[in-house]
Amino acid sequence: MKVKILLMPLTIVIAIALLIWYVYPAFSNGSDGMLDKYGQLKKENAQLTDLEGKSSNVDGLASQLDSNPGDKTTMMEFIPDQIEEEQVVDNLNYLASSNGLAVLNISISQPTIPTATTPDSSGDAAAPADSSESAPVATDFSVKYSVFGTYDQVKGLLGKLNSFGRYNDVSSLDIEKQTSQQDSSAATDSLKADLVLNFNYFKPVALSSDTSQVFLSSKLDTSVIDQIKSSQNVPVLHLSVGQMGKSNPFIP
């Protein structure tokens, strides 16, 4: 009699145990159970929401660029996407001649290809970084630039270089007096100025929507562009191609 009384609860316990044994793995087994799939669904919904937000920001950025084409032109002239040696030579020759200076030499060195590095885990050495994780940097190159003229003319050239619409930096400047060809001891008011200018260019890079901070806002910060417009008031001259161009850029 007691066995019959205990048989029913025992049967229920066994049934519940079997139910848990069969059902729980389907509910959550660490990979493809219902609970696991629900967690994955929540994660994918969060990613979708994030992508939708970034897509909306991209549309806002594109709209801002389309409505202000002058901003893009200013940036592309200040730091172009190619070295453009001919444009550098033509503009330096023009800046010198517009100040009454004679150009003695313009030579462009090969660009220095930047190598992004990240600190080693020990903190003692640097190792090349993965290009997808390293910040993009501009490619630098130097220009040796020699001119001949008066002090005021050289000073005027330096002022125009400082306000030039393409990024440049005067890394060195040597000025020496010139003597008369008829009398080597007689000084003239003419000077020879040897400059080394640093230019750069910036190749377009692919941005990752997962890591780029650009997509976190729907509006570009154009304060740098406004600063360039206000301070770099010497425009970049663009070479004319074909019959309209100069056969010799050193002729005024």
Side-chain angles (χ1 to χ4, degrees):
M1 184 68 180
K2 293 181 179 180
V3 175
K4 291 183 178 180
I5 294 175
L6 296 175
L7 183 61
M8 181 60 67
L10 184 60
T11 302
I12 294 174
V13 171
I14 294 174
I16 293 174
L18 291 174
L19 183 65
I20 294 174
W21 185 46
Y22 280 108
V23 173
Y24 185 76
F27 180 71
S28 177
N29 60 3
S31 60
D32 57 355
M34 292 179 60
L35 184 61
D36 306 310
K37 289 184 177 179
Y38 178 70
Q40 183 179 359
L41 179 61
K42 288 180 63 177
K43 182 179 179 180
E44 291 178 351
N45 283 337
Q47 291 177 343
L48 178 60
T49 301
D50 181 60
L51 289 175
E52 287 177 344
K54 289 180 178 179
S55 176
S56 177
N57 290 341
V58 169
D59 292 338
L61 295 174
S63 176
Q64 182 180 354
L65 288 174
D66 291 340
S67 62
N68 297 285
D71 289 350
K72 181 179 179 181
T73 301
T74 299
M75 284 301 302
M76 292 300 295
E77 288 182 346
F78 191 66
I79 303 181
D81 58 0
Q82 297 181 16
I83 186 172
E84 298 183 351
E85 300 100 323
E86 297 87 352
Q87 185 185 89
V88 171
V89 171
D90 191 62
N91 277 271
L92 291 180
N93 178 68
Y94 171 76
L95 292 177
S97 62
S98 64
N99 282 276
L101 290 161
V103 177
L104 303 178
N105 176 62
I106 299 177
S107 61
I108 300 177
S109 67
Q110 291 297 316
T112 302
I113 306 300
T115 302
T117 59
T118 56
D120 186 65
S121 57
S122 62
D124 298 329
D130 181 14
S131 59
S132 62
E133 299 178 355
S134 59
V137 293
T139 302
D140 298 324
F141 64 96
S142 62
V143 179
K144 292 182 178 179
Y145 185 34
S146 297
V147 294
F148 179 80
T150 65
Y151 173 78
D152 287 337
Q153 291 170 338
V154 173
K155 186 171 68 173
L157 172 64
L158 293 175
K160 287 189 175 180
L161 286 173
N162 186 57
S163 302
F164 187 41
R166 175 167 178 172
Y167 168 81
N168 71 92
D169 174 59
V170 180
S171 63
S172 70
L173 171 62
D174 294 322
I175 299 178
E176 61 181 19
K177 293 181 179 180
Q178 298 296 295
T179 56
S180 172
Q181 293 181 351
Q182 288 78 16
D183 184 359
S184 59
S185 63
T188 68
D189 61 347
S190 297
L191 303 172
K192 178 176 178 289
D194 296 317
L195 302 90
V196 177
L197 307 176
N198 291 329
F199 288 83
N200 61 22
Y201 63 98
F202 192 94
K203 288 187 175 295
V205 295
L207 297 178
S208 169
S209 61
D210 296 330
T211 59
S212 178
Q213 301 296 309
V214 176
F215 304 111
L216 299 181
S217 173
S218 61
K219 187 176 181 180
L220 288 172
D221 182 2
T222 59
S223 58
V224 174
I225 298 177
D226 295 335
Q227 183 179 354
I228 293 173
K229 287 181 177 179
S230 62
S231 60
Q232 311 307 118
N233 51 26
V234 177
V236 177
L237 299 179
H238 296 277
L239 284 172
S240 300
V241 182
Q243 295 181 350
M244 297 298 294
K246 296 179 180 179
S247 59
N248 185 349
F250 291 92
I251 299 177

